[in-house]
Amino acid sequence: MFMFTTNSQNVQSCIDACDHCHRMCLQSAMNHCLESGGEHVEPSHFRLMMNCAEICQTSVNFMLSNSKYHAQVCGICAEICDACAESCDRLDGMEDCAKACRECAKSCRSMSGSMS
Amino acid sequence: MFMFTTNSQNVQSCIDACDHCHRMCLQSAMNHCLESGGEHVEPSHFRLMMNCAEICQTSVNFMLSNSKYHAQVCGICAEICDACAESCDRLDGMEDCAKACRECAKSCRSMSGSMS
Amino acid sequence: MFMFTTNSQNVQSCIDACDHCHRMCLQSAMNHCLESGGEHVEPSHFRLMMNCAEICQTSVNFMLSNSKYHAQVCGICAEICDACAESCDRLDGMEDCAKACRECAKSCRSMSGSMS
Amino acid sequence: MFMFTTNSQNVQSCIDACDHCHRMCLQSAMNHCLESGGEHVEPSHFRLMMNCAEICQTSVNFMLSNSKYHAQVCGICAEICDACAESCDRLDGMEDCAKACRECAKSCRSMSGSMS
C-alpha cells in the first residue's frame, strides 16, 4: 500500500539480498572468524567483513526509506560485497558468506543502474 | 557451523521477527506516515516508529554477534515494540506494522527470559 | 598510536564534521521538524534529514575502521549533505543544520578526493 | 532552541561521552586490536568492543531523538561499558579505551536514574 510504486519487486529482492549478506557477514565475522583466529582475523579481511555488514545495513535502510540516493549507496555496496567475496574465497568455511556477498553484489549492481 | 550452540532456533526466529519489525517500522514511517501527515507525523508516534526500528536493528546485531547482552537488549526492544504497536492501533493503515511489532515483542520477551 | 598513518588530521576533522552533522540532522528532524509540522515534515525534506544523518554515521564508522572504502562513502555523504543543506535553506529554524551539512559536505568532498 | 527542556546539560554531556566511547571502541577494535592479534582478538574481548561501540551509538541516537526510552538504553549501555573497561584493563595499549568506557558508564548510569 505504501510500497514503492516502481521496480517494487527489484527493490524488495535487493533488500532481501542485502539483509541476508548483512547477517552472513556480521555473524561469520563475530563467530567463525573470531573463533578461528589466524588469517580469519587478519585486518584487511576482518575490516571488509565489518564494512560489508555495515554498508548492507545502510543500503537496506536507504531502500526502505525510499531515498533518492539508494542507487548510489547500492553501487558502493556492490563493490564492497565483491571485495568481501574474494577475501572469503581465500579462507576456510566462508563459502556461504562469499555466496551471500556475490548475490548481494549482483542485486545491488542492478539496483545502481550500472551493469559494469 | 559457526551458529549458536544453544537455543539456535529461538535466536533465529527472534532475529527474523526483529528484522521484519525493523522493516515495517522504518518503511511505514518514511512512506505511509510522512505521506499521510496529520496524526501519522505526531512527534510521539513518529519517534516511537523510529526508536522501534532502531532498537530492532540493534537487537538483530547483538544476536548475530552472539553477545552476552542480547537478552537485555531484547528486553527493551519488547517494551518499545509493545508501545509502538499501541500507537499504531490508533492510526489508519498501520495494521501490518502493529502486527509486526506485537510478534517481535513476543519473540523478544521470550528471548529476554522475562515472560511478564 | 593506532591512528591513521596518513592524513590523520584530515580524517579526524572529517569524523568531527560528520558526527556534528549527524547530530544536527537527527536532533532537528526528531524535534524541531516533528514539532513544527507542515513543510518541516514534507516527505522529501524529512527523508533527506534522515538519510543525511544515516550516511554521516556510516561515514564516521568507515573512517574509524580505517576502511579502504571510506573515500567513496564520503563522496556520497557530501552529495547528500549538499542536498540536505538546500532543503534546510527553505525552512524556518534550520540555519544551524544547513551550516553543519555544508561544513560536512566540504570536509567529505575533500576526503573523497573529488573537489567537484 | 528545539533542545531538550529538562536536564539539557546532562543529556548533552552523556551524548558526548557515548560518542567518545563509540569512537574509541570502534577505532581501537578495528585498528589496534586487529593489528595486535592474540588476546586482542579473543572472541569475548572483541565482541565486547563491538557491542560497546554499537550500544553507545544507539544510546546517542535515542538521546538525540528525545526518546522516552533513552534512560533504559543508557542503563544497558552503562553495564556493557563497565564490562568493556574491565576487558580492556587486561590488555596492552587499551588504557584510553578503558577510560572512555568508564566515563561513558558513569554518565549513562546517571542518565538511567540508577546510581547502583
Side-chain angles (χ1 to χ4, degrees):
Chain A
M1 160 187 39
F2 49 85
M3 286 288 295
F4 305 98
T5 50
T6 55
N7 291 320
S8 179
Q9 198 170 1
N10 284 349
V11 173
Q12 195 59 51
S13 74
C14 192
I15 290 171
D16 289 341
C18 288
D19 181 60
H20 182 58
C21 187
H22 168 261
R23 288 190 193 198
M24 287 303 300
C25 286
L26 184 55
Q27 191 172 54
S28 302
M30 300 299 281
N31 292 278
H32 180 64
C33 291
L34 288 178
E35 287 160 13
S36 300
E39 291 183 302
H40 285 80
V41 291
E42 188 269 327
S44 69
H45 172 68
F46 203 91
R47 278 183 197 133
L48 264 175
M49 296 287 285
M50 298 306 290
N51 294 164
C52 195
E54 177 141 19
I55 199 72
C56 284
Q57 180 174 283
T58 304
S59 295
V60 164
N61 289 342
F62 270 63
M63 287 186 277
L64 288 173
S65 63
N66 205 5
S67 168
K68 276 174 54 178
Y69 298 93
H70 75 274
Q72 286 167 266
V73 177
C74 285
I76 292 184
C77 190
E79 191 173 342
I80 296 174
C81 285
D82 276 333
C84 193
E86 283 183 37
S87 186
C88 289
D89 285 344
R90 294 192 290 269
L91 298 171
D92 289 339
M94 304 295 287
E95 296 79 8
D96 291 349
C97 192
K99 185 164 177 277
C101 291
R102 288 208 163 86
E103 287 169 355
C104 186
K106 186 180 174 188
S107 186
C108 279
R109 190 160 286 117
S110 161
M111 193 55 55
S112 76
S114 139
M115 302 305 289
S116 62
Chain B
M1 163 186 37
F2 49 86
M3 287 289 295
F4 305 97
T5 49
T6 55
N7 291 320
S8 179
Q9 198 171 1
N10 284 352
V11 174
Q12 195 58 51
S13 76
C14 192
I15 291 171
D16 289 340
C18 287
D19 181 60
H20 181 58
C21 188
H22 168 262
R23 288 190 193 198
M24 287 304 299
C25 286
L26 184 56
Q27 190 171 55
S28 301
M30 299 300 279
N31 291 278
H32 180 64
C33 291
L34 288 179
E35 287 159 14
S36 300
E39 291 182 302
H40 286 78
V41 290
E42 189 268 326
S44 68
H45 172 68
F46 203 91
R47 277 182 198 132
L48 264 175
M49 295 286 285
M50 298 307 290
N51 294 163
C52 194
E54 178 142 16
I55 200 71
C56 285
Q57 181 175 282
T58 303
S59 296
V60 165
N61 289 342
F62 270 62
M63 286 186 277
L64 288 172
S65 62
N66 205 5
S67 169
K68 276 173 54 179
Y69 298 92
H70 76 273
Q72 286 167 268
V73 178
C74 285
I76 292 184
C77 191
E79 190 173 342
I80 296 175
C81 284
D82 276 334
C84 193
E86 283 182 38
S87 186
C88 289
D89 285 344
R90 294 192 290 269
L91 298 170
D92 290 339
M94 304 295 287
E95 295 79 7
D96 291 348
C97 192
K99 185 164 177 278
C101 291
R102 289 207 163 86
E103 287 169 355
C104 186
K106 185 180 175 189
S107 185
C108 279
R109 190 160 287 117
S110 161
M111 192 56 54
S112 76
S114 139
M115 302 306 291
S116 63
Chain C
M1 162 186 37
F2 50 85
M3 287 288 295
F4 306 98
T5 51
T6 56
N7 291 319
S8 180
Q9 198 170 1
N10 284 350
V11 173
Q12 195 58 51
S13 75
C14 192
I15 290 171
D16 289 341
C18 287
D19 182 58
H20 181 58
C21 187
H22 168 261
R23 288 189 194 198
M24 287 303 299
C25 286
L26 184 56
Q27 191 172 55
S28 301
M30 299 300 281
N31 292 277
H32 180 64
C33 290
L34 288 178
E35 287 160 13
S36 299
E39 291 182 302
H40 285 79
V41 290
E42 189 269 326
S44 68
H45 172 68
F46 202 91
R47 277 183 198 133
L48 264 174
M49 297 286 284
M50 298 305 291
N51 294 163
C52 195
E54 176 141 19
I55 199 73
C56 285
Q57 180 174 283
T58 304
S59 296
V60 165
N61 289 342
F62 270 63
M63 286 185 278
L64 289 171
S65 63
N66 205 6
S67 169
K68 279 174 52 177
Y69 297 93
H70 75 274
Q72 286 168 267
V73 177
C74 285
I76 292 185
C77 189
E79 189 173 343
I80 296 175
C81 285
D82 276 332
C84 193
E86 284 183 37
S87 186
C88 289
D89 286 342
R90 293 192 290 268
L91 298 170
D92 289 342
M94 304 294 288
E95 295 79 8
D96 292 348
C97 192
K99 186 163 176 278
C101 290
R102 288 209 163 83
E103 288 169 356
C104 186
K106 187 180 174 188
S107 186
C108 279
R109 190 161 286 117
S110 161
M111 193 54 55
S112 76
S114 139
M115 301 306 290
S116 61
Chain D
M1 162 187 39
F2 50 85
M3 285 289 294
F4 306 98
T5 49
T6 55
N7 291 320
S8 180
Q9 198 171 359
N10 284 350
V11 174
Q12 195 58 51
S13 75
C14 192
I15 290 172
D16 289 341
C18 288
D19 182 59
H20 182 57
C21 188
H22 168 261
R23 288 190 194 198
M24 288 303 300
C25 286
L26 184 56
Q27 192 172 54
S28 302
M30 300 299 280
N31 292 275
H32 180 64
C33 291
L34 288 178
E35 288 159 13
S36 299
E39 290 183 303
H40 286 79
V41 290
E42 189 268 326
S44 69
H45 172 67
F46 203 91
R47 277 183 198 132
L48 264 175
M49 296 287 284
M50 298 306 291
N51 294 163
C52 194
E54 177 141 18
I55 199 71
C56 284
Q57 179 175 283
T58 304
S59 296
V60 165
N61 290 342
F62 269 63
M63 286 186 277
L64 289 172
S65 63
N66 205 4
S67 169
K68 277 173 54 178
Y69 298 92
H70 75 273
Q72 286 168 268
V73 177
C74 285
I76 292 184
C77 190
E79 189 173 344
I80 296 175
C81 285
D82 277 332
C84 193
E86 284 183 37
S87 185
C88 289
D89 285 343
R90 294 192 289 268
L91 298 170
D92 289 340
M94 305 294 289
E95 297 79 8
D96 291 348
C97 191
K99 185 164 177 278
C101 290
R102 289 209 163 83
E103 288 168 358
C104 186
K106 186 180 174 188
S107 186
C108 279
R109 190 161 286 117
S110 161
M111 193 56 53
S112 76
S114 140
M115 301 307 288
S116 62

